[in-house]
Every structure is written in C-alpha cells, then in structure tokens.
Amino acid sequence: MRMVDIIEKKRNGHELSKAEIEFFVEGLTDGTIPDYQASAFLMAVYFQDMSDKERADLTLAMVHSGDVIDLSDIEGIKVDKHSTGGVGDTTTLVLAPLVAALDIPFAKMSGRGLGHTGGTIDKLEAFEGFHVELTDTEFTEMVNRDKISVIGQSGNLTPADKKLYALRDVTATVSSIPLIASSIMSKKIAAGADAIVLDVKTGAGAFMKTEKEAAELASAMVRIGNLVGRNTMAIISDMSQPLGNAIGNSLEVQEAIDTLHGNGPADLTELVLTLGSQMVVLSGKTDSLATAREMLKGVIKDGSALVKFKQFIKNQGGNPEWVDDPKLLPQANFEIEVVSDSDGFVSEIVADNIGVAAMKLGAGRETKEDEIDLAVGLILRKKVGDPVKKGDSLVTIFANQQDVEDVVAMIKENIRIGLDVQESKLIYREIHN
Ligand code: URA
Ligand code: CA
C-alpha cells in the first residue's frame, strides 16, 4: 500500500477501506508516513468528508495506536460522561457522587484545564492532598468498593490523535466534523467505558458556536460510538453564558457541594439531572428517564450523594471534613464587586471571554506549563434574563492581587445589559443517532 494512493482516493471523494485507514494511522504513529502526506490527507478529508464507516474505522485505528484502558475488572455497566468543554462547568463533580450513590460505577479518566475552560482534576486538587495518580489496581478497587474514582490521563492514550491534532492545528483542518468526532471518541473509547453520555455545548463559550453545528457534531459522535459497540447518546446544552455561578477551582468545588446539598444554581442542577438521568438509563437501572430523575433527586435529598462525595475525597487523599466546611478550601485574599452602570436586564454574558477573565486572575492556564491559583475566580451575581439596577453587583471577583482593573474592564465589556427580558435556554435537544 502507498500513502500517495490513499490521499488520491480520498481527494477524489471515494470511501477508504478499513485497511487503508489503518495503514495511515499506523504509519502516522510510527513515523513512516511524513507530516506532509498526513497533512495532505487531512485536507482531503476536510473537503471530501468521511462516511460513518470511515469515521468509525478512523476512531478505532486511533484507539489502537496506544494504550486502551481495561475496565473489565470493574463490575457493572460503566457509563462515562464527556463534555466538549465549557466555562464554569462543574457537572462532573456533582454527577460522579450522584451516580455512584445509585450504585452505578463512575470510573473516569480526567484531564486538566487549558485556556478558558476548567479541568476536573484541577478543581478536585482544591482539596489539599487529593491526587489522581493511582495504579490501575487502586483505581479498580476503589470503583468496585465505593463506585467512584477519578484517575489522571495515561501517558500513552491515543498517540495518533495527539499527532493528528497538532497537524490539524497548523493546517487549518481542526474544524472538520469527521476529524473532531473521531478525535473525541477515540479518547473516550480508549478510556474503556461501556456507555457514553456526551454533553455537546453550543454558544459563545463552546467549540461549536451554533446549535446546528453542535447537533451535527453530536450526531457524528453518537453514530461512531454506537457503530463501535458503545451505547452512546448526546445532549446539546447551552454555553453562551457560563454554567452555574462559580468560575474558578475552589469556588466551583463549593458550588458542587451546594448542589449536592440541593442548594445549587438552577441551571447547574438541571443539567446534572438531565445528564445524570441519561446515565442511569444507560446503566440499565431503569428504562424511564422520569424514574431516573427521581432516583437522583432522592440521593440528594437523603444526603447519600454527599456522603459518597466525602468518601471519594478521602479515598484519593483529601480531607473529607472540608466538604462539611468549605471555608477550609483555598480562599482568595480580596473580594471586589463589579457593579452595573445601568438599569435593565442582563441580555448576554459572553462565556468564553468571562472564562478568559477568570484565567487572567490565575484560575486557568494560558499554556500547559502555567501554574494555577486554586483560590481565585468569579461568582456571577446575575444571569441572563435577570433584572438589574444601577449599582447592583454583577460579579464578585475573588483575587489574590488588588489591581484587577483589566479584569473588571473585561467583565463589564462581556456582560451586556439591555432593556428587554431575554429568554435563556439550557437544554436544546437529545440526540440518539
Ligand atoms: N477536542 C478534541 O479532543 N479533539 C478535537 O478535534 C476537537 C476538540
Ligand atoms: Ca459553575
């Protein structure tokens, strides 16, 4: 087989065989196919697209380019949740103990945040001593015993995807549905879950800015998942404004604890219940979404989800007493209010730019090497649709420096006040194929 023939076949719009796709991915991984041929291939895919079968073959070839996590020693149906990334998205911290409290194994491999989006591991590290460097045996034992554990990303997961992503970044081929879908799904499938609930975000803070694009990506990922034997569905949810009120690591942990107490922000609570009930259904505990929702509400109400969260923190080296007394979590030295200059209604809170404002305080990383400050961040005092009066606080800044003028300016620019009430929407639709 020759790479030049594979490029030509794709360039001319024909469907590639499984063997041809495997030849490409193997050659890319072992370095026998040079970057210039891989780049030409990517551009051909960008213009000619891929069939569902090609997408599934590409995904599986990338899965097998590196380590594949074996969760078969964990009892029960392992359901994973994946979000395409957002601002202030604290759902995993809440979903994990909720699902585990229903005896559904939550065995998640997670990552750190970059840019305007936060990462679950960073947030959990607000608990001093909490760590995700577990051996496979520790991970398996924790999940079998307590149904919950989060492990850090393995070093050699989908190396083909890493190479391809780096090439896509410099060849203007990132925004291709078959390439995005296979990239995301390869990592999810390599992480070993039996079933996958995808939370595909849409809006200013999301990768997919419009609902139509988000639905197209969601559908592509769902079809790949189901074609390779993982029961997969997707929810399209809003990321035009940040989720919940807190943005920043310690602050989001506190928000997650509030939500586990039943006192969380309405949007975060609703998204958790929506995604969670899909997870419960995929786990086989019930086939009714309404029943699943009641089960989840039940473990919030009776406190068992909170007990589960404490167990989880303790198992991985944190102090569970901090869950009862969140003031023990890292706290910022200064609180600065950003107030409204006018009367009206909040019409827009531009999620990605608000995420960047939090990053500038130190809550997130600009580059992979940056250190983050777990204590700092933002609390939104108003959400889209809320009435405001001149002088009302829009946001509280939690900072470890007093000079935050640029952050204040950025927040003011990205929270728009209008004269009419704006409807905000959280869940757009469900996608099953
Ligand atoms: N996230 C990924 O993991 N891959 C993509 O291609 C895009 C977003
Ligand atoms: Ca939040």
Side-chain angles (χ1 to χ4, degrees):
M1 227 178 273
R2 294 191 317 157
M3 190 59 206
V4 64
D5 300 324
I6 296 174
I7 296 168
E8 183 178 272
K9 190 170 173 187
K10 182 71 333 200
R11 185 202 69 190
N12 292 343
H14 302 298
E15 186 177 58
L16 299 175
S17 69
K18 186 173 167 64
E20 286 163 334
I21 289 173
E22 285 173 349
F23 176 84
F24 164 64
V25 172
E26 283 164 21
L28 175 80
T29 310
D30 67 20
T32 53
I33 291 173
D35 288 357
Y36 52 81
Q37 284 189 312
S39 301
F41 176 82
L42 289 171
M43 194 57 82
V45 169
Y46 185 92
F47 282 113
Q48 294 292 0
D49 205 344
M50 282 183 141
S51 67
D52 282 345
K53 184 178 171 302
E54 285 177 301
R55 296 172 183 196
D57 288 341
L58 176 61
T59 302
L60 281 184
M62 292 203 289
V63 168
H64 294 119
S65 70
D67 298 342
V68 177
I69 310 299
D70 180 4
L71 299 181
S72 60
D73 288 338
I74 295 172
E75 300 133 29
I77 297 175
K78 280 75 68 180
V79 188
D80 201 354
K81 187 273 306 188
H82 176 76
S83 146
T84 57
V87 177
D89 186 350
T90 323
T91 51
T92 301
L93 292 191
V94 186
L95 270 174
L98 273 184
V99 168
L102 292 171
D103 238 16
I104 298 163
F106 191 92
K108 190 170 182 61
M109 180 176 278
S110 211
R112 295 184 186 278
L114 188 63
H116 67 274
T117 63
T120 296
I121 293 179
D122 298 319
K123 294 171 198 176
L124 287 165
E125 283 176 353
F127 290 94
E128 192 187 336
F130 187 97
H131 66 98
V132 293
E133 293 79 24
L134 306 171
T135 65
D136 292 357
T137 312
E138 286 171 322
F139 180 61
T140 303
E141 280 175 5
M142 271 178 208
V143 181
N144 277 335
R145 193 184 60 230
D146 294 317
K147 303 295 167 194
I148 183 167
S149 185
V150 171
I151 189 168
Q153 232 132 44
S154 129
N156 196 34
L157 210 70
T158 59
D161 173 63
K162 286 199 185 76
K163 275 202 163 175
L164 266 196
Y165 195 89
L167 281 180
R168 287 165 59 203
D169 213 20
V170 294
T171 56
T173 53
V174 168
S175 60
S176 152
I177 295 277
L179 297 177
I180 301 170
S182 56
S183 167
I184 295 174
M185 290 306 287
S186 68
K187 285 171 278 198
K188 285 290 106 186
I189 289 159
D194 303 308
I196 302 163
V197 172
L198 298 164
D199 179 15
V200 179
K201 307 286 194 186
T202 181
F207 203 60
M208 295 284 135
K209 303 294 178 203
T210 67
E211 184 192 346
K212 186 169 169 283
E213 290 171 311
E216 207 186 325
L217 175 63
S219 172
M221 292 194 290
V222 167
R223 292 195 309 266
I224 290 173
N226 290 324
L227 270 173
V228 305
R230 313 291 169 105
N231 211 343
T232 304
M233 68 80 61
I235 297 285
I236 310 287
S237 76
D238 183 61
M239 193 37 76
S240 59
Q241 65 176 333
L243 186 66
N245 303 325
I247 305 155
N249 300 282
S250 224
L251 297 170
E252 287 187 51
V253 169
Q254 294 180 50
E255 182 169 77
I257 294 169
D258 291 343
T259 308
L260 288 168
H261 276 292
N263 305 323
D267 58 348
L268 174 61
T269 303
E270 177 55 29
L271 184 59
V272 161
L273 292 174
T274 301
L275 295 168
S277 41
Q278 297 288 351
M279 292 175 78
V280 174
V281 167
L282 286 181
S283 81
K285 292 271 172 196
T286 169
D287 52 17
S288 153
L289 283 173
T291 305
R293 183 175 275 258
E294 288 313 307
M295 289 162 74
L296 291 162
K297 285 182 174 170
V299 290
I300 294 177
K301 211 165 182 182
D302 70 12
S304 53
L306 203 64
V307 170
K308 189 58 81 177
F309 188 61
K310 285 159 81 168
Q311 183 71 58
F312 166 51
I313 297 303
K314 180 161 182 267
N315 284 349
Q316 301 199 214
N319 184 346
E321 285 169 23
W322 291 19
V323 177
D324 295 323
D325 189 3
K327 285 278 167 262
L328 295 169
L329 291 160
Q331 303 289 319
N333 292 324
F334 304 105
E335 290 182 27
I336 300 129
E337 303 297 333
V338 181
V339 300
S340 178
D341 297 326
S342 54
D343 292 348
F345 296 90
V346 177
S347 60
E348 208 182 345
I349 304 179
V350 184
D352 49 352
N353 293 338
I354 295 294
V356 172
M359 184 183 78
K360 283 189 183 300
L361 289 170
R365 294 181 185 81
E366 232 152 324
T367 70
K368 269 190 209 150
E369 290 71 33
D370 285 352
E371 291 262 340
I372 59 176
D373 184 340
L374 295 166
V376 303
L378 307 172
I379 298 224
L380 303 179
R381 301 299 177 189
K382 304 281 177 192
K383 300 274 297 202
V384 172
D386 286 350
V388 281
K389 292 233 169 314
K390 187 174 170 180
D392 281 355
S393 177
L394 298 172
V395 169
T396 307
I397 297 175
F398 292 78
N400 276 331
Q401 81 237 38
Q402 253 172 320
D403 174 20
V404 290
E405 260 170 60
D406 54 335
V407 175
V408 171
M410 197 163 179
I411 291 169
K412 283 199 167 169
E413 212 171 287
N414 287 287
I415 299 188
R416 307 207 172 116
I417 313 290
L419 293 177
D420 304 312
V421 191
Q422 293 284 322
E423 292 274 330
S424 66
K425 198 167 173 166
L426 179 66
I427 311 289
Y428 290 87
R429 51 177 135 149
E430 278 178 28
I431 290 187
H432 293 274
N433 57 49

